[in-house]
Amino acid sequence: MDKNKIKIVFFGTPEFAVESLDKLIQSGCDIKAVVTMPDKMAGRGHKIIQSDVKKYALEKKLPLLQPEKLKDPDFLAELKKIDADLFIVIAFRMLPESVWSMPPLGTFNLHASLLPKYRGAAPINWAVINGEKETGVTTFFLKHEIDTGDIIQQKKINIYPSDNVGDVHDKLMHLGAEMVVETVKNIEEGNFSTTPQPEGEYLAAPKIFKETCHIDWSKSAEDIHNLIRGLSPYPAAWTTMTDSRNPEKPLDVKIFQTEIANSLLSNGSPGNIIIDKNRLFVSTGDRVLEILSLQPAGKKRMDAEAFLRGYKPEKFF
């Protein structure tokens, strides 16, 4: 075995983390164990849901730890016994100092933004929601305050006007995986330096809640369009609709794709619906948005033409 090869414990949960773990394995890194969230039970049948990282670890026969509590003495003892040189954390949860300070080479995190911009749980969503033209990935060493440690590496990508959060997620997932491998190789070779995060450029990326996803039609068409892009395909922006065939029963509708009709100024109150030749438009605080893809509650996602065959919408609110 290469004497410079370092022993690694990998912490992660969703698909975003799997790509990096896979690239580390492919590049010959020595993954001594994988730590992921405990299994969850979901649905009426109490079906057991395993994390994407757990599924991958089982497939590759990697040693697996699923602690309920990260400060549990048994977990800490097991982790210490592994005697790893480095911990890597990607889309996991906040680690206590008793964990991140354990390995002699430290613990680094892959974060899906250009830190210090978009510290927090939903950096990809907020970059798109805020209309950013670029974003990227950062590796940095953990310290006490979340997402504040010294930067090891950063790489940028463009966010194109047609991109939704799913598109940006996938691009960052692949770019981040490549950079994680590079970061490990540089640490192995002792060929790296760190940079403190610049002061005064901090932007928050808090967790997305249902209220975050509710569309305020009085905002500008651009702001609403970016909100919809920044939440599509998941968890999806939503609004409530009245239907002329059943006006007493409002219906929640998720909206996935829109275009700004730059030639059309709003000529009605925000949320007013305009139907023109099987096309669906809605007034905002300034211009008009065309709704291209949406999903009424209890139905499948559909395009506007299919939607208008089944519904007679009056207003969004």
Side-chain angles (χ1 to χ4, degrees):
M1 184 182 286
D2 185 346
K3 64 180 181 181
N4 292 325
K5 191 171 287 188
I6 55 182
K7 296 176 288 184
I8 296 167
V9 174
F10 183 93
F11 296 71
T13 298
E15 178 194 11
F16 189 88
V18 172
E19 182 72 14
S20 290
L21 180 55
D22 184 54
K23 284 287 190 294
L24 289 165
I25 297 288
Q26 286 183 36
S27 68
C29 290
D30 188 11
I31 306 297
K32 290 297 184 186
V34 171
V35 184
T36 193
M37 297 283 278
D39 297 346
K40 293 180 179 178
M41 287 202 293
R44 291 179 184 175
H46 298 295
K47 184 180 178 184
I48 294 174
I49 306 295
Q50 298 177 337
S51 76
D52 292 325
V53 163
K54 177 176 180 177
K55 291 173 189 171
Y56 179 88
L58 291 173
E59 178 191 324
K60 298 295 181 182
K61 297 182 170 56
L62 298 169
L64 186 67
L65 301 173
Q66 291 182 274
E68 290 281 348
K69 295 180 180 177
L70 296 173
K71 292 182 180 180
D72 179 84
D74 291 339
F75 168 64
L76 293 174
E78 202 166 355
L79 207 52
K80 196 157 191 170
K81 200 189 301 179
I82 294 166
D83 194 30
D85 303 299
L86 179 74
F87 291 170
I88 299 173
V89 184
I90 303 175
F92 189 57
R93 48 181 162 154
M94 192 170 176
L95 296 184
E97 185 176 0
S98 54
V99 174
W100 60 256
S101 65
M102 191 179 292
L105 293 177
T107 298
F108 82 77
N109 178 248
L110 172 71
H111 189 73
S113 80
L114 298 171
L115 288 172
K117 279 190 167 184
Y118 300 108
R119 290 177 185 159
I124 310 175
N125 299 91
W126 285 106
V128 181
I129 289 168
N130 289 341
E132 298 282 1
K133 301 295 189 288
E134 68 174 19
T135 187
V137 283
T138 303
T139 51
F140 69 97
F141 283 115
L142 292 194
K143 66 177 194 180
H144 287 285
E145 298 81 11
I146 193 163
D147 297 339
T148 60
D150 291 351
I151 292 167
I152 309 167
Q153 268 186 281
Q154 285 190 325
K155 290 190 176 184
K156 295 181 181 181
I157 61 160
N158 293 322
I159 301 177
Y160 295 106
S162 59
D163 284 339
N164 65 24
V165 75
D167 301 320
V168 180
H169 169 281
D170 290 354
K171 286 190 256 188
L172 292 180
M173 180 173 70
H174 296 299
L175 181 66
E178 293 169 8
M179 197 172 75
V180 163
V181 173
E182 286 177 22
T183 299
V184 169
K185 297 300 182 189
N186 290 337
I187 291 172
E188 279 181 340
E189 293 163 8
N191 180 29
F192 73 98
S193 59
T194 60
T195 309
Q197 293 192 32
E199 297 292 331
E201 295 180 25
Y202 163 66
L203 279 175
K207 189 175 179 180
I208 302 288
F209 294 99
K210 187 176 181 182
E211 313 86 77
T212 318
C213 305
H214 184 245
I215 299 168
D216 177 356
W217 296 104
S218 68
K219 290 191 173 180
S220 72
E222 183 175 6
D223 283 349
I224 296 168
H225 175 65
N226 287 339
L227 177 75
I228 290 164
R229 290 197 304 136
L231 297 169
S232 178
Y234 181 82
W238 65 278
T239 187
T240 303
M241 177 190 87
T242 51
D243 189 307
S244 62
R245 298 177 310 174
N246 194 359
E248 302 304 312
K249 192 176 180 184
L251 181 70
D252 286 347
V253 180
K254 291 180 177 179
I255 299 182
F256 297 97
Q257 190 179 4
T258 55
E259 278 185 6
I260 301 172
N262 283 317
S263 60
L264 296 175
L265 289 170
S266 291
N267 59 357
S269 64
N272 273 7
I273 288 170
I274 307 133
I275 298 168
D276 181 29
K277 297 176 183 174
N278 295 321
R279 293 170 73 184
L280 177 62
F281 299 87
V282 58
S283 291
T284 71
D286 55 5
R287 299 193 172 273
V288 170
L289 271 183
E290 182 172 7
I291 310 293
L292 302 175
S293 175
L294 66 171
Q295 182 180 5
K299 303 291 183 182
K300 291 183 178 178
R301 179 172 169 172
M302 61 188 77
D303 61 26
E305 186 175 350
F307 172 77
L308 291 171
R309 284 199 294 268
Y311 296 90
K312 301 294 179 190
E314 286 185 318
K315 189 175 178 68
F316 288 139
F317 61 94

